[in-house]
Amino acid sequence: MLSSSSSTSLLHLALCCVTTLFALHFCAAAKPPKVGFGYRLVSIEESTNGGGLIGYLQVKQSTSTYGPDIPHLRLFVKHETQDRLRVHITDAEEQRWEVPYDLLPREQPPPPGAKASSSPFTASQYAGGDLIFSFASDPFTFAVRRKSNGQTLFDSSYGTMVFKDQYLEISTHLPKTAALYGLGENTQPGGIRLRPNDPYTLYTTDISAINLNTDLYGSHPVYMDLRNEGGEATAHAVLLLNSNGMDVFYTGSSLTYKVIGGVLDFYFFAGPSPLAVVDQYTTLIGRPAPMPYWALGFHQCRWGYQNLSVVEGVVEGYRNAQIPLDVIWNDDDHMDAAKDFTLDPVNYPRPKLLEFLDRIHSRGMKYIVLIDPGIAVNSSYDVYQRGMAKDVFIKYEGEPYLAQVWPGPVYFPDYLNPDGVSWWIDEIARFHELVPVDGLWIDMNEASNFCTGKCELPTNHSCPIPGSTTPWVCCLDCKNLTDTRWDDPPYKINASGSRAPLGFKTIATSATHYNGILEYNAHSLYGFSETIATHKALQGLQGKRPFILSRSTFVGSGAYAAHWTGDNKGTWDDLRYSISTMLNFGLFGMPMVGSDICGFYPAPTEELCNRWIELGAFYPFSRDHANFASPRQELYQWESVAESARNALGLRYKLLPYLYTLNYEAHTTGAPMARPVFFSFPNFTSSYGLSTQFLLGGSVMVSPVLKKAATSVKAMFPPGTWYSLFDMTKAVVSQDDRYVTLDAPLNAVNVHVYQNTILPLQRGGTISTEARTTPFTLVVAFPFGATQGDAKGSVYVDDDVRPEMKLAEGEASYIEFYSTVSGSTVKVWSEVEMGSFSLEKGLLIEKVCVLGLQGNGQGLAVEVDDEPWAAAAGAHFTESHAAMHQEKLEGGNKRTSMIVEVGGLSLPLGKTFSMTWKMGIKE
């Protein structure tokens, strides 16, 4: 007979054994089946005409997980330029979906089965200018290395390559020290640098930007990889050009793509600097669109300007408060029952609206309105009638796909259909005849749908529901679609952060576009295709430079439009997040970007709105926008905010020539307007994750307050001298990566310019058309206390109307400025390209302000076009001392240097000039 204690012990042992056996069985059952076994290389040849490598792959062993493997693949490899390598893998026998080549123009690989003159390729690597492609045969893997240092940039041997109809997987090894950026659009709470194990899902989705680490409005499957080995930084980028939904898993030591369709179409960009990377990237996807000058001014919008008199009051409110304003916007309030291309006859009567536009246009102001893609299903609505007559809407089972947005039941135009594009262009032209708007805002184009699945008009109630206060609640009769592999694919991406069905609150993925193209494949291209069609329409109107703001974006959208970061919240966290999203879009080739200043909803505090305009004044795209349910938050609503706005926007309007020159640089080189600090200082490793400050161009640092109740800000400055643009007598001289505490009272923001820079400023104003005609001041920044040094800068000017932004005699001018200090001699001079435009406009330089010198100025000599300048007699020196922040001085000592201003000038901007003077010893 067993004792009770023994019985208990045996029972416990028995339970443990059962539990252990269950756990082992459960783990065996839960372990996912092998997805794939990879491919082996069967053959590889090199085109005799330099057309690249073509190889054929065969699956090693098929599996049924996520569907059968495609048995035979075709590999195409080509060094398209000295610094760009393409690796394209597709079905060897059947044409597969790719991003349409007419939508994103690029070189096409040979079609499957194509025969070309070639010879066997017997080497194990294929070298180009800057990159080397190498491979192994069984299993097939490939790697990309940098030729200059042998560094491996991509190595697919980390994992098994899988290629099924609806599931593609490939991985690469990464060094843990690599800093990665990109893979958007999402709101990244950890800052601009990608964090290991955060989710990165790409699928265009109408979900508020307050959702963190979630697929948002755009899809940009590109990342930049910045490494620093031995104190030398190098950068490269990798683009997987694919419009299908995907999850990207980043662990810190590896990166894995899981894509639900299309092809593996990789582009590798060699860099080696961050600026070189975006130059190479935008060479492929399209240079950023040139912006009109006025677009760099301040914009005001609100969803809820119920009638025209409210809008008129807003314009006058800004004018009375002396706050700069260039553009006034309407959300859908101007529309008749939320229908595109219409006017509300009661609240926005056309005669009064035209009178209002005449008034603001005469001042130089502009007017922009919103349009959504959904076209109201209404037999008395002529836009709908013309669309039906031309058969331009996306289909489901042969009939226009029914959805619901703001006007109620809608059909979605198909922008992949040439007839759909021509119809859209015509509707915009008709609307422009009705209202001469200056740009268009295209929203809800992910596409957003208030319903899900296959829907029908209800028979037992109205839709939209009359007087409804919740028009975003679905009122159609709908059923979910789960019976096709397109609506319910075998692999579920982490859509909306919750593995939501692909068709949730959007177009059903089994719906079809032109020529039978599945929404499943083209979903993330919808906003991009609408943007291109809208750009064609606006460019055709009077031949002017278009302005388009789009919510949904894809690779290449920046060549046509600006972007705002969507529905944010009036919180301190959202204020901080906005910097990372802005900087990401610069990497994506879409530099004209900004967030809703003060937050879209709910009510921001007065303090938060102060701090937001101090940051938002330096977004490339600077706009205050709010939800109808939020209290009014125009910048003049609080006197303290108005003061902050006058200060911050006042500096922005002085900086407009610099910002416009950055726009020109973006359009010609891809360089972002707002940049991470590491773009200019790639070896400054402490800046690799810096997401609370940013640069405008290469040398203007913005260090905003991002915390509640703060009256100072801790800022990091790369080594060198940084001068405050609000008070040039103040400078920070940094020697390392320690943070500096800067004063930041409520109405102040810290903006600094770096040494070795010549910054072109104008007097500013409250509207850009006036500000751009005022005389220039050149701020020349030398290292603090310099007796030797160089500085340079540039400015681009044109009429901002021509669609193209390029140098042409009589239409644009580009001026480069140079300065040196050598011992006691200071020299400032210019070199002019195409100066006649600047001369015709009468643009003048009235002052040169030189920072960081020792001594006092004397003996000024000025030449214009190599001739002594008689008007130099009217010029004068002004001197003041600049104090270095003691916090950065060894021993806490205080040093001073001299600011020398040469005023009373009237130098023609369009003519070369040279001025010199001697620095005397100050007694």
Side-chain angles (χ1 to χ4, degrees):
M1 184 175 184
L2 299 173
S3 68
S4 60
S5 59
S6 298
S7 300
T8 302
S9 297
L10 288 172
L11 178 61
H12 177 69
L13 177 63
L15 286 171
C16 285
C17 290
V18 171
T19 302
T20 302
L21 288 170
F22 175 76
L24 289 171
H25 174 74
F26 177 80
C27 289
K31 185 177 180 180
K34 187 78 173 175
V35 178
F37 291 88
Y39 288 77
R40 66 182 180 89
L41 183 66
V42 176
S43 66
I44 187 165
E45 296 187 338
E46 182 176 10
S47 172
T48 56
N49 62 1
L53 303 180
I54 295 181
Y56 291 91
L57 312 177
Q58 183 174 336
V59 70
K60 291 173 66 67
Q61 179 182 334
S62 190
T63 74
S64 60
T65 307
Y66 304 140
D69 297 82
I70 292 177
H72 302 104
L73 300 179
R74 200 278 309 277
L75 166 72
F76 174 68
V77 183
K78 186 176 182 182
H79 293 280
E80 293 189 334
T81 69
Q82 289 291 301
D83 43 41
R84 184 175 81 227
L85 169 69
R86 186 181 190 183
V87 178
H88 182 278
I89 302 173
T90 188
D91 190 328
E93 296 161 356
E94 300 289 338
Q95 193 80 36
R96 287 184 61 79
W97 165 257
E98 299 186 47
V99 175
Y101 284 83
D102 58 348
L103 207 62
L104 186 65
R106 60 202 187 279
E107 185 177 340
Q108 296 195 39
K115 300 295 182 182
S117 176
S118 60
S119 59
F121 186 77
T122 56
S124 60
Q125 62 183 36
Y126 176 53
D130 295 335
L131 299 173
I132 299 172
F133 173 85
S134 61
F135 59 92
S137 297
D138 192 4
F140 169 75
T141 62
F142 73 89
V144 178
R145 302 197 318 275
R146 190 183 297 281
K147 183 185 285 187
S148 61
N149 59 11
Q151 191 177 74
T152 300
L153 310 185
F154 194 94
D155 181 3
S156 76
S157 67
Y158 179 84
T160 301
M161 188 178 79
V162 181
F163 204 118
K164 301 167 184 278
D165 188 32
Q166 289 183 268
Y167 183 82
L168 285 62
E169 180 179 326
I170 193 167
S171 301
T172 181
H173 172 74
L174 291 169
K176 289 186 177 180
T177 54
L180 265 60
Y181 311 88
L183 297 178
E185 178 182 7
N186 57 29
T187 300
Q188 298 171 193
I192 187 174
R193 183 172 178 174
L194 301 187
R195 296 192 304 193
N197 304 314
D198 274 358
Y200 298 100
T201 298
L202 282 71
Y203 188 73
T204 61
T205 305
D206 175 11
I207 184 171
S208 171
I210 66 173
N211 294 278
L212 308 181
N213 295 320
T214 303
D215 48 306
L216 297 180
Y217 314 106
S219 176
H220 295 270
V222 61
Y223 69 85
M224 178 186 289
D225 180 333
L226 178 62
R227 305 177 187 181
N228 193 298
E229 296 182 2
E232 188 64 31
T234 57
H236 68 275
V238 179
L239 166 68
L240 173 56
L241 185 55
N242 186 303
S243 63
N244 291 84
M246 68 179 77
D247 288 330
V248 185
F249 295 89
Y250 171 51
T251 68
S253 60
S254 68
L255 187 141
T256 298
Y257 299 91
K258 297 184 178 182
V259 193
I260 59 173
V263 300
L264 295 176
D265 192 4
F266 283 103
Y267 291 85
F268 300 91
F269 306 91
S273 69
L275 278 174
V277 165
V278 292
D279 186 0
Q280 295 153 14
Y281 182 57
T282 56
T283 297
L284 173 70
I285 68 167
R287 295 297 198 195
M291 293 292 149
Y293 200 93
W294 53 262
L296 297 171
F298 185 68
H299 303 243
Q300 177 62 51
C301 184
R302 176 180 171 82
W303 179 22
Y305 289 149
Q306 301 95 332
N307 56 55
L308 181 58
S309 63
V310 175
V311 176
E312 292 173 318
V314 170
V315 171
E316 291 310 305
Y318 272 91
R319 197 177 191 191
N320 293 337
Q322 287 295 292
I323 299 171
L325 180 65
D326 260 77
V327 190
I328 187 70
W329 294 57
N330 265 126
D331 203 301
D332 66 2
D333 302 291
H334 67 286
M335 297 181 185
D336 180 13
K339 299 193 298 291
D340 278 350
F341 308 121
T342 63
L343 289 177
D344 183 325
V346 175
N347 294 312
Y348 285 84
R350 182 170 181 259
K352 290 188 176 180
L353 179 59
L354 293 180
E355 289 176 10
F356 168 69
L357 294 185
D358 284 344
R359 287 199 304 276
I360 66 168
H361 283 155
S362 68
R363 299 179 192 170
M365 288 185 63
K366 306 297 179 182
Y367 178 61
I368 294 175
V369 299
L370 173 142
I371 51 175
D372 290 333
I375 299 300
V377 178
N378 185 326
S379 59
S380 63
Y381 175 34
D382 54 0
V383 177
Y384 165 80
Q385 292 170 350
R386 289 188 290 268
M388 288 297 291
K390 293 195 173 184
D391 193 24
V392 301
F393 298 114
I394 292 171
K395 300 288 201 304
Y396 185 84
E397 295 180 341
E399 296 296 326
Y401 176 77
L402 185 65
Q404 179 186 331
V405 199
W406 299 114
V410 299
Y411 293 154
F412 288 115
D414 181 3
Y415 301 104
L416 300 181
N417 183 341
D419 289 340
V421 172
S422 61
W423 164 82
W424 186 252
I425 290 171
D426 179 62
E427 294 301 338
I428 289 176
R430 290 171 182 267
F431 181 63
H432 196 266
E433 286 292 318
L434 187 72
V435 186
V437 295
D438 300 290
L440 287 174
W441 171 18
I442 51 178
D443 193 8
M444 308 287 284
N445 52 350
E446 293 74 28
S448 178
N449 182 0
F450 298 159
C451 302
T452 299
K454 181 182 179 181
C455 301
E456 297 178 347
L457 292 171
T459 57
N460 58 355
H461 65 266
S462 298
C463 184
I465 298 170
S468 172
T469 57
T470 56
W472 50 85
V473 174
C474 182
C475 55
L476 299 175
D477 289 341
C478 304
K479 66 174 184 178
N480 288 332
L481 295 171
T482 58
D483 54 350
T484 76
R485 63 192 182 106
W486 313 117
D487 296 302
D488 188 24
Y491 175 77
K492 310 295 190 290
I493 63 171
N494 193 32
S496 300
S498 60
R499 301 199 179 278
L502 294 179
F504 180 71
K505 295 295 183 75
T506 188
I507 300 168
T509 43
S510 54
T512 55
H513 295 252
Y514 179 70
N515 273 351
I517 293 171
L518 282 165
E519 169 70 9
Y520 178 89
N521 291 319
H523 170 83
S524 290
L525 298 176
Y526 191 73
F528 180 39
S529 60
E530 183 195 16
T531 300
I532 294 173
T534 305
H535 188 271
K536 288 179 180 177
L538 289 183
Q539 199 164 49
L541 294 173
Q542 303 169 2
K544 290 185 178 181
R545 189 175 301 173
F547 179 84
I548 300 164
L549 184 73
S550 179
R551 190 169 74 176
S552 185
T553 63
F554 187 72
V555 175
S557 286
Y560 305 95
H563 175 64
W564 92 107
T565 63
D567 296 350
N568 60 359
K569 237 178 177 178
T571 70
W572 292 94
D573 282 342
D574 284 70
L575 174 68
R576 176 169 53 87
Y577 301 154
S578 72
I579 296 176
S580 296
T581 306
M582 170 185 67
L583 296 179
N584 266 332
F585 271 87
L587 303 182
F588 298 153
M590 203 162 192
M592 188 65 169
V593 59
S595 295
D596 286 346
I597 292 170
C598 298
F600 182 61
Y601 67 93
T605 65
E606 180 176 351
E607 181 192 3
L608 176 63
C609 208
N610 269 281
R611 295 308 190 185
W612 212 317
I613 185 55
E614 290 168 4
L615 166 60
F618 303 101
Y619 293 152
F621 172 62
S622 184
R623 184 183 72 158
D624 182 317
H625 180 45
N627 181 286
F628 70 92
S630 298
R632 295 281 293 271
Q633 63 183 46
E634 294 83 8
L635 301 179
Y636 56 80
Q637 296 291 342
W638 303 273
E639 181 47 44
S640 70
V641 176
E643 183 179 348
S644 294
R646 284 189 289 268
N647 290 340
L649 289 173
L651 179 57
R652 180 189 181 92
Y653 274 61
K654 292 177 182 177
L655 283 167
L656 283 177
Y658 178 68
L659 294 175
Y660 194 64
T661 303
L662 294 181
N663 180 17
Y664 174 70
E665 291 178 5
H667 181 58
T668 53
T669 70
M673 297 172 68
R675 306 173 190 176
V677 173
F678 67 74
F679 261 64
S680 289
F681 304 92
N683 289 323
F684 188 58
T685 55
S686 297
S687 71
Y688 285 9
L690 185 58
S691 305
T692 54
Q693 298 167 255
F694 61 94
L695 292 172
L696 288 173
S699 56
V700 174
M701 176 83 84
V702 181
S703 306
V705 171
L706 303 173
K707 293 180 180 179
K708 183 178 180 179
T711 56
S712 63
V713 62
K714 290 187 179 298
M716 182 188 296
F717 292 89
T721 307
W722 298 82
Y723 297 93
S724 169
L725 284 177
F726 282 101
D727 182 353
M728 295 180 195
T729 67
K730 294 181 178 178
V732 173
V733 179
S734 175
Q735 298 166 348
D736 50 40
D737 63 354
R738 285 178 290 173
Y739 280 87
V740 179
T741 300
L742 304 172
D743 290 337
L746 183 63
N747 301 122
V749 59
N750 281 278
V751 183
H752 292 78
V753 63
Y754 188 56
Q755 66 184 40
N756 309 323
T757 300
I758 299 180
L759 188 66
L761 302 178
Q762 286 176 284
R763 291 181 183 176
T766 57
I767 192 165
S768 66
T769 52
E770 296 173 359
R772 69 183 304 189
T773 64
T774 60
F776 283 79
T777 292
L778 303 182
V779 176
V780 182
F782 286 119
F784 197 89
T787 57
Q788 297 288 331
D790 301 282
K792 62 181 180 179
S794 61
V795 69
Y796 171 87
V797 292
D798 69 6
D799 64 4
D800 93 324
V801 172
R802 291 177 299 116
E804 293 185 350
M805 190 183 210
K806 64 180 183 181
L807 273 175
E809 193 63 72
E811 296 178 347
S813 299
Y814 185 73
I815 299 92
E816 293 181 297
F817 304 108
Y818 301 91
S819 184
T820 59
V821 56
S822 180
S824 62
T825 302
V826 180
K827 182 178 180 180
V828 184
W829 73 98
S830 70
E831 295 179 3
V832 178
E833 289 185 69
M834 311 287 184
S836 61
F837 174 81
S838 296
L839 294 173
E840 179 188 340
K841 296 298 181 182
L843 298 175
L844 299 174
I845 299 168
E846 67 175 348
K847 185 189 298 183
V848 174
C849 180
V850 186
L851 313 179
L853 297 175
Q854 292 286 354
N856 62 309
Q858 58 187 19
L860 176 67
V862 180
E863 291 183 347
V864 175
D865 286 344
D866 298 322
E867 296 292 333
W869 187 56
H876 58 270
F877 287 106
T878 304
E879 302 164 3
S880 63
H881 291 276
M884 182 196 297
H885 271 276
Q886 297 185 51
E887 196 166 349
K888 301 299 287 185
L889 284 173
E890 294 182 7
N893 296 320
K894 190 172 184 179
R895 287 172 26 209
T896 61
S897 76
M898 189 71 61
I899 297 174
V900 175
E901 289 185 351
V902 183
L905 303 172
S906 56
L907 300 174
L909 184 69
K911 285 190 174 185
T912 60
F913 74 87
S914 175
M915 64 171 60
T916 59
W917 67 86
K918 298 282 188 180
M919 296 299 298
I921 302 299
K922 188 74 172 178
E923 296 295 336

